[in-house]
Amino acid sequence: MLKKLLKYDLKAVFKYWWIAAISSLGLSALGGICITILSNQNDGGISPPQILIVSAILMLILAIIGIIAFSLISLILIFIRFYKNFFSDEGYLTFTLPVKRTQQLNSKIILSTVTQICTSLFICLNFTIMLVIGFSKHVFTQEFWEKIVIFVEELFDLIDGYVAIYIIEIILLLVISMVFSNLFIYACITFACMITKKAKVITAIGIYYVANGIFTFLLQIFFLFSMRSLSTLFAKLPENSLEPAIAILGLGILLVLALFCAILYTFEYWMLDRKLNLA
Amino acid sequence: MKKIISLIIAILVLLSCFSFSTFAIEYDEQPYIYTNYLDPTETIIISDDYQHLTLGDKSYSRFSGNDSLHSYDELENEIFLSPAQELEVKNIVLHASKNGYKISAYIYFLDGATLSVTFYLDEYIQEYERLKFGDFEDYYIVFQESDYSNNSEEIILETTKELLMSEEVELTVNDFLLTASFDVCCKSTDLNFYVTRGSLIKYDELYYYIDFDNTNSSNKELDLYNYEGKAYKISDPLLLQRIEEESNRYYGESDYGVLFDDELSKAISNAFLILVFIIIPFVIFVLSLIFGIKSKKVYKKLFFTICALSVAILITSIIVILMVY
């Protein structure tokens, strides 16, 4: 049943996501052309007319705003789907389906993670297209590709033992922090719907800002007080223990983040299971 | 209503983009006061091999010296190109430093290549070589130079070679304990510039001077974070006090502010780490175990998952503590 839930969730979100994605692709191509115009101007050669430079700058700003807007739109689509599917009139149908609450929640978490990963990859593609078109003079040369090949070879030479572990830990950290931030917003939305019948969205936004502010404040206190101790601690380690210690520290951070996710997931499940009242 | 709001938002976005570009044009069109510190009537001649430059009776040569003064002006002098250069050069843009010792040339060739060359006044080069390799008594610890940012004050501490190099030690730098570094220079009083001869570092709460002449690097480039070799421990109390004062002027107050002295701030940091990595996971472990035992079905699984994660964090923290101690 999880697969079916996920299928419909993905359909509902990607129906609009694709439009935003293709628009951002178009904008990034436009941005690349603007970069070409502006970089030609700085080449010491003949300067294009002022009006063209102004238009190029304007279009480049629009292109970057468009790409940022695409990332915001994909986030908004995720949370609209969550809100509508659980807390609007659609919620009456959702919670009468022969599906466990955990499966419904898992479907939303998987949906948000997959959408954010796709969005991130697309944004990287957008900026790559912009730079490739913008600097095509330098990119489409044999010299450039030879340098890329050398760079990739050197990169692979660097990856050994602990470096591979660090890379895996960083990837896991990114995924778990995505899950955490989505669960955090889901919890804020659910809590808002739990405590109020009207103006649920505004209440959810308010709860998010307050909770995020408290969390950020606590995190800053942690960094302020603990970074010095951590650096002194690591300074005392023998040299051959430094790399495993950093790997273990990374693992510790992953576990702490996973613990926060588990606590948030339990809280979210409890609210959906015991406290939800769609009447 | 929704359409009207969308239209208003679209107009606002367009207006903000327009205002950015208008600002860009206005900024670009502000009158630039080209103050040419060199004689603008003199023509500039660059040799065919791009190794030498002549401006009137002054001669400049290509040199990789380090001049930390960053103010530049674009030159309006006429550039005289030789017939060979006329065949290959499209454009040359020159910038001269305020004191006239350095001229940076950006040469754009007809085939699309760009050459960036830095020329220094020949007298400057001679003085630089003298300061870099000579034996001097007076040294200057540079915390901040006045031209580095527009209105910054100069913080330079004068000292002697004897005070800097009083106690020789062998030092292996662990980068976690390196908290500050400053250039130590010799000064040219005639031409008013500094040449770096070494680095003053704050390492494990003590100050050391590392002289470039002691390093094995042939081009005197020093990686302080991986340094292993001779250093001089600063032990003169008066010099140490002056360094601390000037360092505090440069960095501002210490990291933890006026509220805590060093020992107390260390104790608070350690207590905080223990709280976050040991006490809180332990409390969560106990609570989740209690709730897990009492609960049923899904809640049981969720609480035992939290229990397992907090145990894993405790084990990880214990492993790190064992590795350190």
Side-chain angles (χ1 to χ4, degrees), chain A residues 3-18:
Chain A
K3 279 186 195 170
K4 282 211 169 106
L5 281 173
L6 195 54
K7 177 182 149 190
Y8 287 108
D9 279 335
L10 287 168
K11 255 186 168 175
V13 166
F14 277 77
K15 199 164 55 172
Y16 303 105
W17 186 89
W18 276 116

Side-chain angles (χ1 to χ4, degrees), chain A residues 54 222 225 228-229 235 248 273, chain B residues 174 256 262 265 269-270 299:
Chain A
V54 168
F222 170 75
F225 284 112
R228 192 177 169 184
S229 282
I248 292 170
D273 190 39
Chain B
N174 182 327
Y256 295 93
D262 224 35
S265 69
S269 301
N270 290 332
Y299 289 103

Side-chain angles (χ1 to χ4, degrees), chain B residues 44-55 59-62 79-85 88-89 92 105 107 109 115 117 119:
Chain B
I44 291 174
I45 300 170
I46 302 176
S47 63
D48 281 350
D49 60 0
Y50 304 105
Q51 298 296 313
H52 300 282
L53 182 149
T54 314
L55 171 67
S59 174
Y60 293 76
S61 299
R62 197 167 174 177
I79 303 167
F80 177 79
L81 296 178
S82 69
Q85 286 169 338
E88 58 181 12
V89 171
I92 299 180
I107 302 159
F109 292 93
L115 178 63
V117 184
F119 299 99

Side-chain angles (χ1 to χ4, degrees), chain A residues 14-73:
Chain A
F14 277 77
K15 199 164 55 172
Y16 303 105
W17 186 89
W18 276 116
I19 300 168
I22 288 168
S23 307
S24 73
L25 261 183
L27 283 171
S28 60
L30 179 67
I33 295 167
C34 297
I35 292 173
T36 313
I37 295 169
L38 292 170
S39 61
N40 277 341
Q41 188 236 341
N42 289 329
D43 213 5
I46 300 166
S47 211
Q50 193 75 357
I51 188 79
L52 189 63
I53 296 169
V54 168
S55 307
I57 294 170
L58 199 67
M59 289 297 136
L60 184 60
I61 291 169
L62 266 173
I64 292 170
I65 289 174
I67 292 171
I68 296 168
F70 163 60
S71 66
L72 288 172
I73 286 168

Side-chain angles (χ1 to χ4, degrees), chain B residues 183-243:
Chain B
D183 290 336
V184 177
C185 306
C186 289
K187 184 178 176 178
S188 166
T189 41
D190 296 334
L191 299 181
N192 192 27
F193 69 93
Y194 296 91
V195 171
T196 312
R197 293 293 300 260
S199 286
L200 176 75
I201 62 170
K202 187 174 182 181
Y203 182 75
D204 201 9
E205 307 303 320
L206 297 171
Y207 284 94
Y208 297 87
Y209 170 62
I210 299 172
D211 194 86
F212 288 163
D213 288 339
N214 289 332
T215 68
N216 291 325
S217 173
S218 57
N219 61 356
K220 309 293 185 193
E221 287 292 330
L222 187 60
D223 181 7
L224 288 171
Y225 289 94
N226 290 306
Y227 181 73
E228 204 174 315
K230 277 189 215 165
Y232 299 95
K233 188 175 166 185
I234 312 291
S235 47
D236 180 61
L238 197 59
L239 178 60
L240 281 170
Q241 187 190 346
R242 287 166 67 205
I243 290 170

Side-chain angles (χ1 to χ4, degrees), chain B residues 169-181:
Chain B
V169 296
E170 283 294 321
L171 185 68
T172 305
V173 172
N174 182 327
D175 51 3
F176 285 110
L177 297 174
L178 178 61
T179 51
S181 71

Side-chain angles (χ1 to χ4, degrees), chain A residues 20-277:
Chain A
I22 288 168
S23 307
S24 73
L25 261 183
L27 283 171
S28 60
L30 179 67
I33 295 167
C34 297
I35 292 173
T36 313
I37 295 169
L38 292 170
S39 61
N40 277 341
Q41 188 236 341
N42 289 329
D43 213 5
I46 300 166
S47 211
Q50 193 75 357
I51 188 79
L52 189 63
I53 296 169
V54 168
S55 307
I57 294 170
L58 199 67
M59 289 297 136
L60 184 60
I61 291 169
L62 266 173
I64 292 170
I65 289 174
I67 292 171
I68 296 168
F70 163 60
S71 66
L72 288 172
I73 286 168
S74 73
L75 271 178
I76 290 167
L77 283 172
I78 294 166
F79 300 124
I80 286 176
R81 175 67 187 166
F82 177 80
Y83 174 75
K84 273 182 130 177
N85 201 228
F86 281 5
F87 304 109
S88 66
D89 294 339
E90 214 178 296
Y92 290 104
L93 176 63
T94 307
F95 290 112
T96 55
L97 291 171
V99 173
K100 294 181 197 168
R101 287 270 196 278
T102 47
Q103 285 176 323
Q104 284 170 339
L105 192 52
N106 292 343
S107 166
K108 295 294 177 289
I109 293 168
I110 295 169
L111 164 74
S112 57
T113 310
V114 165
T115 311
Q116 282 189 308
I117 290 172
C118 290
T119 307
S120 308
L121 291 172
F122 230 83
I123 288 173
C124 289
L125 180 66
N126 285 338
F127 280 113
T128 308
I129 289 171
M130 208 190 278
L131 292 171
V132 164
I133 295 175
F135 298 106
S136 52
K137 252 193 296 189
H138 305 287
V139 167
F140 295 110
T141 58
Q142 196 177 349
E143 209 182 302
F144 177 80
W145 289 108
E146 279 169 9
K147 281 185 186 167
I148 294 283
V149 167
I150 293 168
F151 173 74
V152 170
E153 278 171 357
E154 282 174 3
L155 203 63
F156 274 104
D157 287 337
L158 276 175
I159 295 174
D160 64 341
Y162 286 106
V163 176
I165 294 173
Y166 298 153
I167 291 172
I168 292 167
E169 283 182 350
I170 288 169
I171 292 169
L172 281 172
L173 188 68
L174 286 170
V175 173
I176 295 179
S177 52
M178 250 186 240
V179 171
F180 173 76
S181 62
N182 291 327
L183 269 172
F184 192 77
I185 295 176
Y186 287 164
C188 292
I189 295 172
T190 312
F191 189 68
C193 295
M194 200 175 87
I195 61 173
T196 180
K197 297 294 166 212
K198 292 182 182 177
K200 292 177 188 175
V201 174
I202 293 175
T203 311
I205 292 169
I207 291 169
Y208 172 74
Y209 273 113
V210 169
N212 195 42
I214 294 169
F215 185 72
T216 311
F217 175 71
L218 290 171
L219 209 61
Q220 279 178 346
I221 289 179
F222 170 75
F223 278 115
L224 181 67
F225 284 112
S226 62
M227 278 297 108
R228 192 177 169 184
S229 282
L230 273 175
S231 59
T232 317
L233 214 67
F234 274 80
K236 286 186 180 157
L237 283 169
E239 216 173 292
N240 55 356
S241 302
L242 195 60
E243 283 175 329
I246 293 174
I248 292 170
L249 180 69
L251 178 66
I253 293 170
L254 280 171
L255 288 170
V256 168
L257 212 47
L259 178 67
F260 285 149
C261 286
I263 293 171
L264 268 177
Y265 186 95
T266 309
F267 181 55
E268 177 69 25
Y269 179 81
W270 172 76
M271 283 194 288
L272 286 175
D273 190 39
R274 299 283 167 87
K275 295 291 175 181
L276 194 63
N277 182 9

